[in-house]
Amino acid sequence: MTAVLEARSLDAGYGAGSTVVRSLDLEVHEGEIVALLGPNGAGKTTTLNTLCGELAPLGGDVVLHGRTVTGPLHERARLGLGLVAEERAVLTSMSVTDNLRVTRADPDRAFALFPELQAHARRQVGLLSGGQQQMLALAIALSRPTTVLLADELSLGLAPLIVDRLLRALRDAADSGVAVLLVEQHIAKAMAVADRAYVMRRGQIEVSGTATELRGRLVEIQESYLEAHPTTISNGSAPA
Ligand code: ATP
C-alpha cells in the first residue's frame, strides 16, 4: 500500500522549550483509516496541526505523497490534504450552497455524501444543528480532490447517531481510496471503523497495530485513558 502521509522522526510543539511531540513516526496509507488515540494532552492535536501545516515542525519531516512538505495548510490542500478540525470549519453567516461554492467543493458530490443537507441548501449554516454543520464540514472536505483527510474530534458534542453517520462517511471515503487520520475520543467507535491505530502518550507513540489486534487490547488501551482522564472512558463512550 502507498503511504500518502508520513511523519518521520517528527518533533512538534510550540517553540523551543515547549516540545510536545517527540520523534514521532506514523504513516497513513491510501484507502485506510488510521486512528490516533491517546489521553487528553497526549499531543494528538499538536501532531495533526503539524501534519497539516498549521504548526511548523520542531524537527523531522512531514511527507505528503512521497515529498517533504514545509508549506502552510492552503499549499498542502492543493496537494490533496483536507482537514476537519475540532472547531467546525464552516462559514456560519452563509448558506450551505455558498459554503460549498466558496470552498470550491462539488455540490453534487456533497449532497450525494450527505443527502440530509439538500433540504437545507439555502439555509444559513449558523441555523443548522451542530451535527448538520459537521456533516457540511466533512462534505466540503470530501467533495474536493482530497486524497488524505485529517479529522480531529469531529464527534465533539454530537449525538451518538450523528457520530456514527460521520464515521460511516469516513469509512466510505477510505473505501474509495482516501487516506484518513482520525483523532477521536470515542475509542470504541473509532476502532470500529479504523484499519490501524496508534496510541499516543506524553507526545510519543506507545502502542500501534492493526485494528483487529488492538480491539483485543481495548481494555488495556482504555485504562491508559482512565489513568489520565478518569471520566472519559468507561464503556467506549464519552460522557454526555
Ligand atoms: P486533547 O485530547 O485534550 O485535545 P491532545 O492529545 O490533542 O489532547 P494537544 O492539544 O496536542 O493534546 O496538547 C498537547 C500539549 O500541548 C498539552 O500539554 C497542551 O497544554 C499543549 N498545548 C496545546 N496547545 C498549545 C499552545 N497553543 N501553546 C502551548 N502549549 C499548547
Side-chain angles (χ1 to χ4, degrees):
M1 260 202 293
T2 321
V4 180
L5 181 67
E6 296 166 69
R8 293 186 188 160
S9 300
L10 190 70
D11 295 332
Y14 303 89
S18 57
T19 304
V20 168
V21 172
R22 286 181 191 80
S23 299
L24 182 122
D25 288 300
L26 67 75
E27 293 185 358
V28 192
H29 299 128
E30 191 179 324
E32 69 172 357
I33 296 182
V34 176
L36 184 59
L37 308 173
N40 293 117
K44 305 178 298 291
T45 296
T46 304
T47 299
L48 250 59
N49 285 341
T50 308
L51 290 171
C52 78
E54 295 273 75
L55 279 175
L58 301 177
D61 289 304
V62 175
V63 179
L64 183 57
H65 293 295
R67 291 194 182 166
T68 298
V69 283
T70 54
L73 175 58
H74 68 268
E75 273 181 34
R76 294 181 203 190
R78 280 204 292 271
L79 299 171
L81 187 141
L83 172 72
V84 179
E86 280 180 69
E87 61 291 348
R88 291 175 190 124
V90 286
L91 300 163
T92 52
S93 60
M94 288 186 178
S95 69
V96 168
T97 307
D98 285 344
N99 266 267
L100 295 169
R101 186 176 47 76
V102 299
T103 54
R104 300 206 177 113
D106 172 353
D108 292 339
R109 171 114 185 89
F111 292 131
L113 285 167
F114 290 104
E116 47 273 75
L117 290 176
Q118 184 98 57
H120 304 288
R122 300 201 175 283
R123 279 192 91 189
Q124 190 185 324
V125 167
L127 301 175
L128 301 182
S129 70
Q132 289 165 332
Q133 290 186 23
Q134 198 61 296
M135 282 182 206
L136 177 60
L138 194 50
I140 288 170
L142 293 176
S143 53
R144 303 175 75 245
T146 298
T147 52
V148 53
L149 180 73
L150 309 183
D152 192 1
E153 300 285 7
L154 49 76
S155 67
L156 210 67
L158 301 179
L161 279 178
I162 303 284
V163 177
D164 292 343
R165 177 77 184 90
L166 295 167
L167 293 178
R168 210 163 54 243
L170 283 186
R171 184 67 257 171
D172 290 345
D175 290 344
S176 71
V178 177
V180 179
L181 183 60
L182 172 68
V183 169
E184 180 54 63
Q185 287 288 349
H186 291 262
I187 311 173
K189 284 186 187 294
M191 293 304 285
V193 294
D195 299 288
R196 291 191 299 118
Y198 296 96
V199 183
M200 279 187 86
R201 221 171 134 71
R202 299 194 187 100
Q204 295 185 306
I205 304 288
E206 196 159 78
V207 180
S208 66
T210 66
T212 311
E213 287 161 6
L214 296 181
R215 273 183 215 116
R217 298 172 63 187
L218 266 191
V219 171
E220 177 199 330
I221 291 168
Q222 289 178 351
E223 274 170 4
S224 84
Y225 278 71
L226 278 167
E227 211 177 296
H229 191 72
T231 56
T232 303
I233 300 295
S234 55
N235 58 2
S237 307

